[in-house]
Amino acid sequence: MDTTSPRSLAGRTALVTGAASGIGRACAETFAAAGARVYVVDLAAGAADELAARIGGEAIVADLSDPAAVDALPDDADIVVNNAGLQHVAPVHEFPPDRFALIQRVMVEAPFRILRRTLPHMYGQDWGRVVNISSVHGLRASAFKSAYVTAKHGLEGLSKTVALEGAPYGVTSNCINPAYVRTALVEKQIAAQALAHGIREDEVVEQIMLDRTAVKRLIEPDEVAQLALWLCSPHASYITGASLPVDGGWTAH
């Protein structure tokens, strides 16, 4: 398989969570353009249906906080992109426990359950790719994001464990670690960040989101998707258990 070919994933099936918007949407579009059949998994039915129809995929509306819904997802994916996530910004002493638990279910337990179901298929064919959309917050912490940081660190541990277990079967598992990506999830954080830090909304991007990056811009979803595609190529077959920062130099500090 050569990712320079326009159909480098022909014959493969990819399952992408949170696929109706942001990074997930870019991954679904990129993988479909490379020839993969894509399961478009999202809670937003209308957006998932629209995307699936456009790329020739299959929309699956699922609430990833519901274990039964996760366990009903297809188990025949050759490629899994664990992308779905949500955010809540508050100091630890004010963080709602139910919100903390919800974020862990969606961002740690759901990926575990998905991989528990799909790895036997990958093992059976001696090939599989797991791409976990982590975050720079899987490598570094920020104030007011205890649930998100905890979940991304958990996803990192799951990814590394799958890398070790999957290696004998031709399965790789890696994390992509972006800084702030131009997505709806990031845009929704601006007001919350302004309140938490006591600054104006127009100061959040400059003072908070780009403060620790050397490259002073947000990342585009397609940049993340192209790295995810490359991780499914033969050129990346020796890369597993890795965390690949796409962070504009954030972790260089």
Side-chain angles (χ1 to χ4, degrees):
M1 182 174 61
D2 178 2
T3 54
T4 62
S5 165
R7 304 289 290 178
S8 60
L9 295 182
R12 300 295 188 190
T13 298
L15 186 152
V16 182
T17 65
S21 63
I23 295 171
R25 185 183 188 91
C27 286
E29 292 171 337
T30 298
F31 280 53
R37 175 172 174 261
V38 180
Y39 292 122
V40 178
V41 180
D42 206 287
L43 189 59
D49 287 339
E50 179 276 326
L51 177 60
R54 181 162 54 79
I55 66 173
E58 178 181 342
I60 301 176
V61 180
D63 180 356
L64 298 188
S65 70
D66 178 1
V70 179
D71 290 345
L73 293 175
D75 61 2
D76 63 343
D78 309 305
I79 299 163
V80 168
V81 180
N82 284 311
N83 166 73
L86 64 156
Q87 180 64 276
H88 187 88
V89 178
V92 170
H93 66 283
E94 297 176 358
F95 211 101
D98 59 341
R99 195 69 174 171
F100 188 96
L102 172 66
I103 289 173
Q104 308 315 307
R105 288 200 304 273
V106 172
M107 296 171 59
V108 183
E109 184 178 344
F112 159 74
R113 287 180 175 274
I114 290 169
L115 293 175
R116 182 176 181 273
R117 285 176 53 75
T118 55
L119 283 172
H121 167 73
M122 298 182 195
Y123 291 172
Q125 65 182 6
D126 291 321
W127 192 92
R129 295 292 179 264
V130 179
V131 181
N132 297 299
I133 306 301
S134 181
S135 166
V136 69
H137 286 113
L139 305 173
R140 301 287 189 272
S142 288
F144 311 119
K145 294 185 175 182
S146 58
Y148 188 86
V149 171
T150 299
K152 291 302 188 183
H153 275 68
L155 184 63
E156 295 277 333
L158 175 63
S159 182
K160 290 178 173 62
T161 301
V162 172
L164 297 178
E165 295 181 6
Y169 303 96
V171 174
T172 66
S173 176
N174 293 288
C175 286
I176 298 176
N177 301 76
Y180 288 98
V181 184
R182 193 185 304 278
T183 65
L185 181 66
V186 165
E187 291 171 357
K188 289 175 183 177
Q189 289 182 50
I190 293 177
Q193 289 270 21
L195 180 64
H197 290 275
I199 60 177
R200 299 191 312 270
E201 290 188 18
D202 61 1
E203 296 175 311
V204 170
V205 172
E206 179 181 352
Q207 295 187 19
I208 304 300
M209 294 184 173
L210 300 182
D211 176 58
R212 283 167 283 188
T213 66
V215 180
K216 299 299 183 182
R217 67 172 177 83
L218 298 178
I219 308 160
E220 299 301 328
D222 185 62
E223 294 179 89
V224 180
Q226 291 297 327
L227 179 53
L229 177 63
W230 180 76
L231 285 172
C232 297
S233 75
H235 310 295
S237 63
Y238 202 68
I239 299 175
T240 195
S243 301
L244 305 175
V246 189
D247 64 359
W250 183 326
T251 53
H253 288 283

